[in-house]
């Protein structure tokens, strides 16, 4: 699979949309690049794709990446703070240098050409989100923190007696 039948879905909106649409049209890619704009049905869109690509330049906690990983999708994302705390390079997807379209394209093509790798990375991402970023994981982390603080306080009180 050389990606010749690949279709790019762009979800979201912003000031560059008109430029990107014009660029896609000028390259005769209008039929292969679909601009969805803002959408509320993201889970349905995620279910329809093979690879989630997130080439952002600045990110906090990338909720879109977590949502894609929860949907069992491998992720190709820019290697920036936030993304690199969520995506395990080579395990749940790939991290590529920011502003490096060649590296981004290479990793996307790698995943498009290997269904087994996509599935393995998607499953690993799903497991990672469940283990580290779910509500249950947050509750476990808070519980451990509270127990640690309680142990420190009771230990300190014993020392003071």
């Amino acid at each position: 699979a050389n990606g010749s039948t690949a279709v790019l879905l762009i979800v979201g909106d912003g000031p560059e949309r008109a430029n990107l649409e014009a660029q896609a049209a000028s390259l005769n890619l209008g039929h292969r690049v679909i601009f969805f704009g803002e959408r509320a049905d993201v889970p349905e869109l995620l279910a329809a794709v093979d690879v989630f690509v997130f080439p952002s330049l600045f990110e906090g906690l990338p909720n879109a990446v977590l949502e894609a990983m929860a949907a069992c999708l491998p992720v190709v994302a820019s290697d920036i703070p936030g993304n690199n705390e969520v995506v395990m390079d080579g395990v749940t997807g790939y991290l590529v240098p920011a502003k490096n379209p060649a590296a981004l394209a290479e990793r996307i093509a790698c995943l498009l050409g290997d269904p087994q790798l996509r599935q393995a990375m998607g499953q690993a991402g799903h497991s990672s989100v469940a283990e580290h970023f779910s509500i249950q994981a947050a509750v476990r982390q808070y519980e451990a923190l509270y127990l640690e603080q309680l142990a420190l306080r009771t230990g300190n009180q014993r020392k003071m007696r």
Side-chain angles (χ1 to χ4, degrees):
N2 61 6
S4 61
T5 60
V7 175
L8 175 64
L9 310 180
I10 298 179
V11 179
D13 216 338
E16 290 300 314
R17 180 173 176 175
N19 291 339
L20 293 171
E21 286 177 326
Q23 189 173 8
S26 72
L27 295 170
N28 293 321
L29 293 174
H31 63 294
R32 302 282 288 283
V33 180
I34 302 169
F35 292 84
F36 279 102
E38 292 293 330
R39 294 290 288 253
D41 58 343
V42 172
E44 290 81 1
L45 292 171
L46 291 175
V49 301
D50 294 317
V51 177
F52 185 82
V53 181
F54 199 71
S56 61
L57 301 178
F58 306 100
E59 207 53 51
L61 180 64
N63 288 321
V65 172
L66 291 173
E67 195 171 352
M69 289 169 64
C72 296
L73 288 172
V75 174
V76 179
S78 46
D79 188 0
I80 60 168
N83 290 351
N84 59 21
E85 294 161 30
V86 174
V87 178
M88 290 180 279
D89 189 46
V91 178
T92 63
Y94 292 117
L95 292 167
V96 298
K99 298 183 182 180
N100 187 331
L104 188 71
E106 180 184 321
R107 291 305 194 181
I108 294 168
C110 174
L111 284 169
L112 290 178
D114 192 337
Q116 278 115 358
L117 181 62
R118 283 198 312 266
Q119 184 176 14
M121 286 185 164
Q123 286 299 323
H126 179 80
S127 298
S128 176
V129 168
E131 185 179 343
H132 301 291
F133 298 100
S134 67
I135 293 296
Q136 292 85 352
V139 169
R140 284 194 307 270
Q141 290 164 0
Y142 278 117
E143 183 181 41
L145 180 65
Y146 289 141
L147 290 172
E148 179 184 319
Q149 291 301 311
L150 182 63
L152 286 172
R153 285 174 187 242
T154 55
N156 287 341
Q157 286 173 354
R158 283 193 193 121
K159 286 178 189 169
M160 290 167 54
R161 287 181 185 166

